[in-house]
Amino acid sequence: GAVVSQHPSRVICKSGTSVKIECRSLDFQATTMFWYRQFPKQSLMLMATSNEGSKATYEQGVEKDKFLINHASLTLSTLTVTSAHPEDSSFYICSARDPSGKGTDTQYFGPGTRLTVL
Amino acid sequence: GESVGLHLPTLSVQEGDNSIINCAYSNSASDYFIWYKQESGKGPQFIIDIRSNMDKRQGQRVTVLLNKTVKHLSLQIAATQPGDSAVYFCAGGVPYSGAGSYQLTFGKGTKLSVIP
């Protein structure tokens, strides 16, 4: 299947700093990517939909000024957690659909980024 | 179903037995459903999908059943193996306009433990 990568895989930062997470589609172009967060032993919660060349669409309750999303190209979306606090510690996962996926609408997920805010 | 819980339901099965994992969804607008497998510390991995115009789809060792009347989805794994141990999530997709994609809502997940 299609490959989606994330960088970094793990990051530890101090409270108050900002952290950028990259999501790349390695072998396909994605006009839309999705960002999720997942707390331990819980399900994935959609945070926002990242649209190439336009503003991201945020889910209710997600602060757009805190979680900045930039979809700069068809293969790269970034999520920046600004002024991170310990409660932002979570597993952040991105996904994208391969438009050439032969009739399937399968979304492929990145391996996730574990953020720990001290 | 599609709500988030504080703990995961667990299903323990003997190696070689069949596993059935269930999921209920609430959004009637969902017309595409996927089962994902997630191992610890990794992203979800696609297993099988089904569209709302179907009620059954089979893959290699896996079968998904969809009952739209009661908004219920199940994943059957035949001859369960230790490598199948993971958390399994169902997801319902609603078309995301203009992008040819679906916005997914995930169920709360079931932890499958395979006893050797």
Side-chain angles (χ1 to χ4, degrees), chain B residues 24-44:
Chain B
Y25 65 94
S26 56
N27 190 348
S28 300
S30 298
D31 64 0
Y32 175 60
F33 303 89
I34 315 104
W35 280 100
Y36 287 96
K37 172 185 180 183
Q38 187 179 30
E39 297 174 332
S40 182
K42 297 183 179 180

Side-chain angles (χ1 to χ4, degrees), chain A:
Chain A
V3 178
V4 176
S5 71
Q6 282 184 241
H7 178 80
S9 58
R10 288 178 177 266
V11 57
I12 300 173
C13 69
K14 293 181 179 180
S15 185
T17 60
S18 295
V19 174
K20 180 186 285 188
I21 303 170
E22 294 184 348
C23 176
R24 292 181 185 274
S25 55
L26 297 186
D27 50 1
F28 65 97
Q29 294 183 330
T31 54
T32 303
M33 292 183 175
F34 302 90
W35 284 98
Y36 299 81
R37 67 188 295 181
Q38 184 179 31
F39 292 107
K41 297 186 179 180
Q42 293 192 25
S43 188
L44 283 77
M45 294 294 291
L46 179 65
M47 298 174 65
T49 303
S50 172
N51 305 297
E52 189 270 336
S54 64
K55 293 182 179 180
T57 304
Y58 290 82
E59 295 300 299
Q60 191 173 10
V62 178
E63 299 175 57
K64 62 180 181 181
D65 294 330
K66 181 167 184 64
F67 298 99
L68 301 179
I69 291 174
N70 186 355
H71 199 141
S73 74
L74 288 172
T75 59
L76 173 65
S77 175
T78 60
L79 168 68
T80 301
V81 183
T82 62
S83 186
H85 291 283
E87 57 266 31
D88 298 323
S89 298
S90 189
F91 195 49
Y92 291 87
I93 312 172
C94 69
S95 74
R97 172 183 169 265
D98 180 359
S100 65
K102 296 180 180 178
T104 181
D105 289 295
T106 303
Q107 284 188 24
Y108 293 95
F109 283 80
T113 297
R114 174 74 60 192
L115 171 63
T116 302
V117 185
L118 302 177

Side-chain angles (χ1 to χ4, degrees), chain B residues 27-28 42 54-55 61 65 68 70 76 81 93 95 99-100:
Chain B
N27 190 348
S28 300
K42 297 183 179 180
M54 302 172 67
D55 53 21
R61 276 203 310 122
L65 299 177
K68 295 181 291 295
V70 296
Q76 300 177 2
Q81 302 168 1

Side-chain angles (χ1 to χ4, degrees), chain B residues 55-87:
Chain B
D55 53 21
K56 180 179 180 179
R57 191 165 186 222
Q58 288 184 291
Q60 189 175 17
R61 276 203 310 122
V62 294
T63 301
V64 55
L65 299 177
L66 174 63
N67 185 331
K68 295 181 291 295
T69 303
V70 296
K71 296 190 179 68
H72 184 268
L73 196 66
S74 69
L75 175 70
Q76 300 177 2
I77 304 174
T80 314
Q81 302 168 1
D84 295 327
S85 294
V87 176

